[in-house]
Amino acid sequence: MPISFQEKSKVFTIHTENSTYAFMIERLGLVTHLYYGERIYDESDLSYLTNAAAVGRPALYPEITYPEFEAGDAKYCPHARLQEYSGFGNGDYRTTSLQGRFADGSQTIDLRYHSHKIVEGAASLPGLPCVYANEGEKAHTLVLTLKDAAQELYAELYYTVIDGHDELMRSARIVNKTGAPFMIDSALSAIVDIRKKDFDVITFYGRQDSERFVDRSPIRHGKISCESTAGLTSHFSNNSLILCEHTATEDSGECYGAVLVYSGNYTVSAELDHAERVRLALGINPAGFCWKLEDGEAFDTPQAILSYSNKGLGQLSRGFHNLIRYNICRGKWKDARRPVLINSWEAAVFDFDEDKLVEIARGAKEFGVELLVMDDGWFGNRTWDDSSVGDWTPNKNKLPGGITGLCKRINDLGMDLGIWFEPETISENSDLYRAHPDYSVQVPGRAPTRGRWELLLDMTRKEVRDNIYNQVAKVLTDSPIAYVKWDMNRYITDAYSLALASDQQGEFYHRYVLGVYEFMERLHQNFPHVLLENCSSGGGRYDVGMMYYSPQIWCSDNTCPTHRMKIQYGSSLIYPVSTMGSHVAFSPNINTFHDASVLTRSISAMAGTFGFELDPAHESEQSKKEMLLATNLYKKHYFTINHGDYYRLVSPYEQAVPTSRISAWQFVSKNQESALFSLVQLDNVNDSADFFVKLKGLDSRKTYKLHRYFDSRNGKEQGFTTYLDEAELGIFSGEVLMKAGLHLQLLRGDNMSTLIELEAL
Ligand code: GLA
């Protein structure tokens, strides 16, 4: 059984495909964590680990014991033990799971076992995104209820596993039956205590245009934490974290991954304490948070996803990819091939009209594009970014025939229309603001801060959401719009809602996120055919919470293919490429002025959702020919790329060969019949050094035919222009390709690249 409870030993065991998680109920209902790691198949009694789970006096002094034990019994000191979900103020001095204040102002929380049940199906969280089981998949959930030793305060802990997956989903529901309000100051989704210290911690950091860069460093005593107080996930860091052995590689070593299914303020941390134990902690950031839980009410934390791999980072990532693709993403576009789109932003910014958009669409159709996205600038009096957000009616100067007129012309080309909205913000120079200034987020008596000239809309209030929802829904109902880009271009400041009492203002940030989720759920339910792509000044809200509503998210505003290598490589540690919005943009790139061939730009975009962000009118006939070839390649390999397995081969963060930094990766179809190898050289190379790359994930008994697309150069008389060339590479066995490796030569020139198709014979 995936989840079991042994009456005799009082041990709970939770198995995933390759891991085991265990904890036990001890005397007086103490809940002690025992083990999380490699799967244990036999039925051994793991309760002996409770001794290992407690640190004795030499390591911990002065000891504080639970009230029922003798002073001096260091073993029963809350801080000495591995905990499942610990309360604040009771002698556990690490990051505790639950902190709050009872009606008398006291803060001590002492959580003990109360009851449990094991049920079929996945846990569902009201109003929050969470992992679900598909039809035919079996999910199992343990609900463990803890109760405070003195008061009627409960913590229901949910543990869900799904057959065939390696992830463990956890969340907590805090239930107040104390007869008076309980103020929650912090309610984390999960803590996990691991008795091991030789870890590296991998976290993600960045800024706009450089999101989710990888930071890997040895753990040290104290706490390494990534947090957001921006109200969004933010560009600065991501709400995921990996612990791995110092020696762990893509293919070997123990790794633990932790991801929060949430889009607001968060904390994820790894804390190595003086007794050499690591506590992973994930949840809503307590900074700026306080929730007034009335008697009889319950509060649900967001869900945390935990995973373990003893086969390195690659396996950990592929597990997350599968879970996110199939058990987080929903709706039609989770399985169906998504359209290849062209977005108007980098082509036209605000300077377009109906004819220009039709011209972009017509031009892009020549290279296989199926959908035009009209980005920012189509509404109200919008000619620059300082007005009209909130007025979601077409700008008649730009769109004389309205959206309907434009949509008809695009549809007549045999293409679909997509449209940009920024539903959470408001320009002061807008009709909506003039009519409803109170809809904006401001602290009374204090001048508001602005972000990109915008104020926030108070998404905690239903009437505010309804106003914007109705405007958006009208546009989507009046015309057959196939795609929506939901943008969010500012962080939260001045968190305050006119609808909340003074002792509830600490609820603002979380209620804001719940409001956004409710809005997106309505869109998802009422417009199931619409493909929703999230965006937040690029990848400022790139998280699993958002992926529940939109199966793809604009990964970064940086469309430079070589810069994208680090961004997309970093993102791939947790997130599948099917979620990474990525486009072929102008060369030179408008962000970095780097030149790159069509192939390099296409390979970068193919490690994502593949689309275009340029004006076809500016492209040469040769470029358009190559773009068509790239689009066709993408369509041909769509299912291998988006539904196959992803292998990182060479990291763009390392100097793999002396003359160039390289980024290389590979997609393999689930049946191992086809694969796609991609390589981008990040630097200018002036010698053509030989090197080998060992491929991964192939069937060693199969033989594969290799066809190569690569950047070539015309001679001096043509000005050394780069063009796309092809060649047969021959037939190789999977075993040879994986053991001896693929033999390649560096290509001379800037940002050159290679794409190799592998088809099993
Ligand atoms: C943000 C997005 C861009 C574009 C602009 C429009 O910066 O990330 O892709 O949509 O807004 O204003």
Side-chain angles (χ1 to χ4, degrees):
M1 281 303 287
I3 302 182
S4 61
F5 177 62
Q6 304 299 328
E7 263 310 330
K8 203 162 146 260
S9 59
K10 302 266 184 286
V11 172
F12 287 94
T13 316
I14 304 173
H15 297 298
T16 70
E17 281 297 290
N18 296 294
S19 71
T20 294
Y21 183 103
F23 59 90
M24 73 173 291
I25 313 301
E26 292 190 80
R27 285 196 283 157
L28 305 161
L30 302 182
V31 186
T32 302
H33 180 77
L34 297 175
Y35 175 80
Y36 186 29
E38 188 168 352
R39 174 139 184 191
I40 296 170
Y41 287 91
D42 70 26
E43 302 285 308
S44 295
D45 178 356
L46 296 179
S47 59
Y48 78 98
L49 287 168
T50 166
N51 296 322
V55 179
R57 180 175 169 150
L60 189 86
Y61 185 83
E63 68 272 19
I64 304 252
T65 55
Y66 283 100
E68 296 88 343
F69 296 94
E70 292 280 314
D73 194 348
K75 187 180 162 198
Y76 288 100
C77 165
H79 190 78
R81 312 183 70 71
L82 300 194
Q83 299 276 355
E84 236 354 77
Y85 199 79
S86 70
F88 180 83
N90 189 44
D92 179 3
Y93 300 108
R94 294 158 287 183
T95 305
T96 45
S97 313
L98 184 62
Q99 184 174 356
R101 283 160 288 141
F102 292 97
D104 62 3
S106 66
Q107 299 186 63
T108 304
I109 300 173
D110 180 358
L111 295 170
R112 308 284 182 100
Y113 173 81
H114 174 268
S115 59
H116 77 270
K117 59 184 180 194
I118 298 169
V119 294
E120 292 302 304
S124 65
L125 281 72
L128 283 162
C130 62
V131 168
Y132 64 91
N134 290 289
E135 231 179 279
E137 269 183 336
K138 275 191 113 175
H140 318 266
T141 298
L142 163 67
V143 188
L144 174 76
T145 304
L146 311 180
K147 183 190 164 298
D148 178 57
Q151 296 253 29
E152 295 276 314
L153 181 77
Y154 297 84
E156 291 173 9
L157 308 186
Y158 291 78
Y159 299 79
T160 293
V161 288
I162 305 177
D163 290 358
H165 290 274
D166 255 329
E167 293 73 25
L168 167 64
M169 277 59 72
R170 286 191 55 182
S171 61
R173 174 173 294 169
I174 311 304
V175 183
N176 178 13
K177 294 184 184 167
T178 63
F182 175 75
M183 302 298 276
I184 305 175
D185 291 318
S186 172
L188 296 186
S189 304
I191 57 166
V192 187
D193 285 342
I194 302 169
R195 186 166 247 304
K196 189 173 168 69
K197 61 162 184 167
D198 63 333
F199 283 124
D200 279 352
V201 185
I202 299 177
T203 54
F204 304 93
Y205 72 100
R207 57 184 165 81
Q208 192 190 14
D209 291 342
S210 303
E211 295 90 339
R212 291 170 299 289
F213 273 30
V214 178
D215 202 327
R216 176 172 177 168
S217 51
I219 199 165
R220 53 177 172 69
H221 292 98
K223 194 148 94 175
I224 296 177
S225 68
C226 289
E227 299 188 343
S228 171
T229 50
L232 320 177
T233 326
S234 90
H235 302 80
F236 311 137
S237 65
N238 192 252
N239 52 17
S240 54
L241 179 147
I242 295 171
L243 283 181
C244 61
E245 289 179 308
H246 294 317
T247 51
T249 66
E250 283 293 322
D251 307 301
S252 66
E254 286 199 293
C255 314
Y256 296 86
V259 185
L260 198 63
V261 187
Y262 194 53
S263 312
N265 291 343
Y266 63 85
T267 172
V268 295
S269 61
E271 182 178 6
L272 177 64
D273 72 10
H274 59 99
E276 314 302 349
R277 305 161 302 180
V278 179
R279 173 165 289 181
L280 272 177
L282 296 90
I284 293 176
N285 193 343
F289 173 86
C290 176
W291 192 276
K292 183 177 184 186
L293 196 63
E294 298 285 357
D295 181 43
E297 283 185 351
F299 177 85
D300 285 286
T301 71
Q303 191 170 60
I305 306 175
L306 306 168
S307 187
Y308 166 83
S309 151
N310 64 352
K311 294 199 177 64
L313 295 163
Q315 177 169 290
L316 191 82
S317 299
R318 285 187 288 280
F320 279 128
H321 296 172
N322 282 335
L323 192 82
I324 294 168
R325 287 189 295 200
Y326 305 121
N327 301 81
I328 281 285
C329 294
R330 299 176 298 165
K332 170 180 172 187
W333 298 108
K334 128 179 180 183
D335 296 318
R337 184 175 73 72
R338 299 185 208 146
V340 173
L341 62 84
I342 186 157
N343 181 296
S344 68
W345 180 244
E346 290 195 4
V349 192
F350 295 106
D351 186 17
F352 61 80
D353 58 15
E354 185 180 300
D355 287 343
K356 176 71 194 164
L357 293 171
V358 173
E359 185 199 313
I360 292 176
R362 188 180 291 118
K365 193 176 177 204
E366 280 180 42
F367 43 86
V369 170
E370 299 156 314
L371 184 144
L372 170 88
V373 179
M374 175 169 62
D375 207 278
D376 193 356
W378 60 267
F379 49 91
N381 296 317
R382 186 89 157 168
T383 50
W384 198 241
D385 64 0
D386 53 358
S387 87
S388 305
V389 178
D391 298 344
W392 301 110
T393 47
N395 179 317
K396 287 284 177 187
N397 294 330
K398 295 183 183 183
L399 303 174
I403 309 282
T404 357
L406 172 70
C407 193
K408 175 147 191 334
R409 287 181 69 186
I410 300 295
N411 291 162
D412 287 348
L413 293 173
M415 296 171 75
D416 283 320
L417 180 66
I419 192 165
W420 181 97
F421 290 100
E422 191 172 346
E424 299 164 65
T425 60
I426 183 167
S427 306
E428 285 154 284
N429 183 5
S430 67
D431 290 343
L432 184 68
Y433 188 80
R434 283 181 280 275
H436 297 287
D438 63 298
Y439 280 10
S440 65
V441 173
Q442 303 192 28
V443 179
R446 185 181 290 275
T449 43
R450 296 172 184 85
R452 208 193 181 194
W453 308 104
E454 292 162 5
L455 299 177
L456 272 178
L457 281 169
D458 185 351
M459 286 284 143
T460 71
R461 285 162 61 188
K462 182 149 188 323
E463 70 274 25
V464 178
R465 298 198 298 273
D466 285 351
N467 181 301
I468 304 296
Y469 178 82
N470 291 336
Q471 292 192 58
V472 172
K474 179 163 178 5
V475 173
L476 301 187
T477 310
D478 288 352
S479 311
I481 304 287
Y483 163 108
V484 164
K485 179 171 171 187
W486 177 310
D487 210 340
M488 165 53 162
N489 281 313
R490 59 157 298 168
Y491 291 160
I492 295 182
T493 49
D494 305 312
Y496 188 89
S497 174
L498 294 173
L500 291 171
S502 59
D503 60 353
Q504 287 187 294
Q505 291 297 336
E507 299 174 16
F508 179 87
Y509 286 104
H510 184 57
R511 284 190 185 276
Y512 183 94
V513 179
L514 293 177
V516 170
Y517 286 155
E518 186 272 338
F519 191 140
M520 288 189 183
E521 184 62 25
R522 262 200 268 177
L523 276 186
H524 175 79
Q525 296 298 338
N526 296 336
F527 300 95
H529 59 282
V530 169
L531 171 59
L532 185 66
E533 175 156 357
N534 255 276
C535 173
S536 177
S537 301
R541 195 160 60 182
Y542 195 92
D543 60 68
V544 181
M546 280 293 136
M547 289 167 192
Y548 189 69
Y549 306 95
S550 64
Q552 60 192 56
I553 300 181
W554 185 228
C555 199
S556 174
D557 273 347
N558 191 342
T559 49
C560 173
T562 46
H563 276 228
R564 277 276 182 145
M565 290 297 111
K566 281 189 174 175
I567 298 170
Q568 295 179 179
Y569 176 99
S571 305
S572 81
L573 280 159
I574 306 289
Y575 305 100
V577 298
S578 62
T579 62
M580 292 182 208
S582 193
H583 296 164
V584 176
F586 283 122
S587 176
N589 185 270
I590 66 157
N591 304 281
T592 61
F593 308 112
H594 284 192
D595 264 316
S597 66
V598 171
L599 182 63
T600 299
R601 287 180 275 156
S602 302
I603 288 179
S604 166
M606 276 185 213
T609 58
F610 192 79
F612 292 85
E613 185 113 5
L614 46 73
D615 186 347
H618 295 181
E619 296 298 326
S620 68
E621 287 310 309
Q622 174 67 20
S623 286
K624 285 196 267 190
K625 215 172 88 194
E626 294 181 6
M627 285 173 187
L628 175 62
L629 191 131
T631 304
N632 287 339
L633 275 174
Y634 177 70
K635 287 178 183 168
K636 176 176 165 195
H637 295 289
Y638 183 88
F639 287 95
T640 300
I641 293 173
N642 290 289
H643 295 280
D645 287 327
Y646 177 82
Y647 293 87
R648 289 176 293 267
L649 303 178
V650 185
S651 164
Y653 290 84
E654 286 157 20
Q655 190 77 38
V657 291
T659 44
S660 178
R661 275 177 311 121
I662 285 173
S663 186
W665 64 96
Q666 195 192 339
F667 302 103
V668 183
S669 66
K670 289 278 182 198
N671 61 11
Q672 295 167 302
E673 285 290 312
S674 64
L676 204 60
F677 167 84
S678 307
L679 179 146
V680 175
Q681 295 171 198
L682 300 182
D683 305 315
N684 183 3
V685 177
N686 62 4
D687 75 8
S688 42
D690 280 23
F691 69 103
F692 290 84
V693 182
K694 288 183 184 173
L695 300 192
K696 293 181 184 172
L698 302 174
D699 184 336
S700 55
R701 294 155 308 178
K702 286 188 173 142
T703 46
Y704 294 87
K705 187 163 168 273
L706 272 58
H707 186 82
R708 180 183 187 204
Y709 300 86
F710 59 102
D711 281 325
S712 249
R713 291 241 144 160
N714 283 323
K716 203 172 173 185
E717 54 285 6
Q718 281 98 2
F720 290 110
T721 50
T722 307
Y723 67 97
L724 198 158
D725 208 346
E726 301 182 40
E728 296 297 331
L729 277 190
I731 292 168
F732 300 87
S733 76
E735 185 179 9
V736 161
L737 290 170
M738 291 193 291
K739 290 185 178 164
L742 186 66
H743 177 213
L744 289 165
Q745 271 196 335
L746 289 181
L747 300 165
R748 293 180 67 179
D750 259 338
N751 308 327
M752 305 289 264
S753 58
T754 288
L755 184 73
I756 298 173
E757 290 175 309
L758 294 94
E759 294 297 338
L761 294 173

